[in-house]
Amino acid sequence: MDLEMNLNAPHSMGTTIIGVTYNGGVVLGADSRTSTGMYVANRASDKITQLTDNVYVCRSGSAADSQIVSDYVRYFLHQHTIQLGQSATSKVAANLIRLLSYNNKTMLETGLIVGGWDKYEGGKIYAIPLGGTLIEQPFAIGGSGSSYLYGFFDQAWKEGMTKDEAEQLVVKAVSLAIARDGASGGVVRTVIINSEGVARNFYPGDKLQLWHEELEPQNSLLDLLNSS
Amino acid sequence: MRYKSVERMKPIGKHSLLGASGEISDFQEILRYLNELILYDNMWDNGNSLGPKEVHNYLTRVMYNRRNKFNPLWNSLVLGGVKNGNKYLGTVSMIGVNFKDNHVATGFGNHLAQPILRQEWHKNLSFEDGDKLLEKCMCVLLYRDRSAVNKLQIAKITEEGVTINQPYSLKTYWEFSTFENPAQGAIGSW
């Protein structure tokens, strides 16, 4: 039991982050809890950050580190887009993230999942965990909540899902992780990126499915007592 | 979070209720001690029964003595009860700090719930008002304490005895407009 409530602990997004490809694009998902030690500093954070019009990144780990890395990459990508004359690809975005993460590995503590759509390769997901490895995957999970999802994805992931199947999978997965990981919580945010553009969705905590040992939420015990 | 259905409140004797936070194995050990205490009290068979004040005192001694031996029981305890019309509410920490008050809390409750209770508690609360007040506190704790789980129990102690209600969940609110797209005005922020 923690007698000290370390309010000066660095803001950390314990987090659950997910990126999944489907037959037309990618779906990115994340929870919304940012904590300072055991205190929830922000219960409705947005961890899916825009890098370009068609590339987004899911951030986990230190809030400060992930924000600064994504800010730098957004800046570099902006310049790159101007020089290139067309939208940057998700591969370029991922490699820029990797450069920063790898070359500053002793100082940074952030795990990122880059997801985007471009006309050359379609939808792609790249995971860049703590040391700065870059790995392209059909789906990626990260953050402290991901520990609870390895078995789930082993069973539930399949190639060639539709957009709705992929989004439902992501929402279900983040919701399962929130149920078990104290460092994840709040709402589930998803971002879907495909040739048509970008769509953002928001699933409040109370609209998610109930899992084992979870009970139907009530307004008050008094309602329960009065109804029985 | 491995165990999301642990019951941390138990009746003690006829007049008291003990709630614990912290190490559950130590709480279970404390319950064994108290069980023995109540048993011996009943064996006297003289009409006397240990009330909340006595149980609180016993717990204080146990916790403080363990602390002195550098082998504490890692719990924060809340002891409440009613005997002969007198209401009692006390608390003991793992280092033996103990006191009585109109409202007590453990852990994050001290930081988040006590301020609410200081504003809104008054001595003529009905059960319904008390319940709503506690639920207000528990809801804040659910939003802001990382170790909180949405499953709680409310217990009531009166002269008639102890009632511990079944565990239930609280509704939470997420539909503030700023929650939907918080980074809209500042891309890359939280």
Side-chain angles (χ1 to χ4, degrees):
Chain A
M1 170 192 55
D2 209 333
L3 288 176
E4 276 299 294
M5 196 169 85
N6 192 3
L7 285 173
N8 297 315
H11 279 29
S12 152
M13 301 168 308
T15 309
T16 307
I17 48 172
I18 303 180
V20 150
T21 57
Y22 72 92
N23 68 7
V26 298
V27 180
L28 299 176
D31 73 304
S32 70
R33 179 172 281 191
T34 303
S35 24
T36 327
M38 275 302 204
Y39 177 66
V40 177
N42 188 350
R43 64 177 171 113
S45 347
D46 185 4
K47 303 181 189 183
I48 311 179
T49 303
Q50 187 184 24
L51 293 178
T52 69
D53 289 340
N54 49 304
V55 181
Y56 279 66
V57 61
C58 296
R59 303 179 290 111
S60 78
S62 156
D65 289 352
S66 66
Q67 282 180 4
I68 203 72
V69 167
S70 66
D71 283 350
Y72 268 114
V73 171
R74 190 180 314 113
Y75 167 66
F76 292 141
L77 280 173
H78 186 212
Q79 294 190 315
H80 172 64
T81 307
I82 292 169
Q83 290 171 341
L84 194 63
Q86 56 188 34
S87 311
T89 60
S90 43
K91 186 188 281 187
V92 170
N95 274 102
L96 287 169
I97 298 258
R98 177 194 64 89
L99 271 176
L100 285 172
S101 286
Y102 178 73
N103 289 323
N104 295 295
K105 66 159 81 191
T106 53
M107 289 180 284
L108 292 173
E109 190 197 292
T110 173
L112 301 151
I113 297 179
V114 175
W117 184 95
D118 57 66
K119 64 187 186 199
Y120 299 105
E121 300 208 83
K124 285 285 178 193
I125 292 287
Y126 298 89
I128 304 112
L130 245 41
T133 316
L134 174 74
I135 179 150
E136 197 254 297
Q137 296 177 294
F139 73 90
I141 56 178
S144 57
S146 67
S147 309
Y148 305 95
L149 298 176
Y150 285 94
F152 174 69
F153 271 87
D154 282 347
Q155 191 207 50
W157 158 262
K158 46 189 173 51
E159 198 70 53
M161 286 189 283
T162 66
K163 177 172 75 121
D164 291 328
E165 281 177 331
E167 204 201 7
Q168 282 321 300
L169 182 69
V170 167
V171 173
K172 190 172 182 180
V174 178
S175 170
L176 280 167
I178 286 175
R180 286 289 176 182
D181 180 27
S184 301
V187 306
V188 180
R189 298 194 192 278
T190 62
V191 170
I192 308 174
I193 314 172
N194 50 35
S195 56
E196 278 138 53
V198 177
R200 252 193 189 283
N201 286 320
F202 166 81
Y203 297 87
D206 52 346
K207 298 286 188 303
L208 302 168
Q209 186 183 347
L210 288 173
W211 303 113
H212 180 50
E213 291 181 305
E214 290 188 338
L215 301 171
E216 193 66 53
Q218 310 288 338
N219 281 317
S220 167
L221 173 72
L222 301 171
D223 295 346
L224 280 170
L225 292 175
N226 290 333
S227 66
S228 60
Chain B
M1 281 173 272
R2 205 181 298 181
Y3 304 111
K4 305 210 287 186
S5 294
V6 170
E7 300 207 345
R8 31 179 94 245
M9 290 198 297
K10 295 287 176 189
I12 311 292
K14 291 196 289 266
H15 307 283
S16 320
L17 174 86
L18 176 65
S21 103
E23 174 63 40
I24 296 299
S25 64
D26 285 348
F27 175 52
Q28 290 176 346
E29 190 71 357
I30 289 170
L31 289 175
R32 290 169 81 85
Y33 288 147
L34 288 174
N35 203 40
E36 190 184 50
L37 185 75
I38 300 291
L39 180 71
Y40 274 81
D41 184 46
N42 291 339
M43 274 163 59
W44 285 105
D45 198 22
N46 58 3
N48 188 40
S49 57
L50 290 172
K53 175 177 150 185
E54 289 81 44
V55 176
H56 185 219
N57 181 249
Y58 175 79
L59 289 170
T60 302
R61 291 298 106 224
V62 168
M63 301 300 271
Y64 184 59
N65 265 272
R66 287 289 296 256
R67 167 263 191 194
N68 286 338
K69 294 190 284 191
F70 281 91
N71 181 208
L73 289 161
W74 209 275
N75 298 111
S76 282
L77 304 171
V78 171
L79 195 287
V82 179
K83 186 177 169 194
N84 297 333
N86 298 316
K87 296 178 281 202
Y88 192 95
L89 183 63
T91 179
V92 194
S93 78
M94 67 188 260
I95 54 172
V97 173
N98 72 294
F99 51 89
K100 307 182 314 224
D101 208 339
N102 293 317
H103 42 86
V104 295
T106 62
F108 260 64
N110 282 304
H111 297 97
L112 298 174
Q114 285 282 53
I116 299 174
L117 293 166
R118 284 176 199 135
Q119 290 260 315
E120 298 189 25
W121 182 90
H122 59 84
K123 64 180 173 0
N124 294 317
L125 281 172
S126 64
F127 172 71
E128 284 73 28
D129 289 340
D131 179 81
K132 285 202 204 112
L133 187 52
L134 282 178
E135 283 170 353
K136 185 173 182 179
C137 294
M138 295 305 284
C139 199
V140 172
L141 289 165
L142 187 57
Y143 288 139
R144 297 293 175 176
D145 181 359
R146 247 174 65 167
S147 48
V149 165
N150 194 359
K151 204 184 240 190
L152 63 139
Q153 278 183 299
I154 301 276
K156 178 169 88 161
I157 313 109
T158 61
E159 190 64 48
E160 284 80 58
V162 176
T163 322
I164 307 181
N165 288 294
Q166 279 298 95
Y168 69 105
S169 286
L170 283 173
K171 280 196 183 151
T172 51
Y173 187 69
W174 301 93
E175 251 102 341
F176 293 109
S177 59
T178 11
F179 280 15
E180 299 212 24
N181 217 341
Q184 199 163 32
I187 296 185
S189 74
W190 70 357

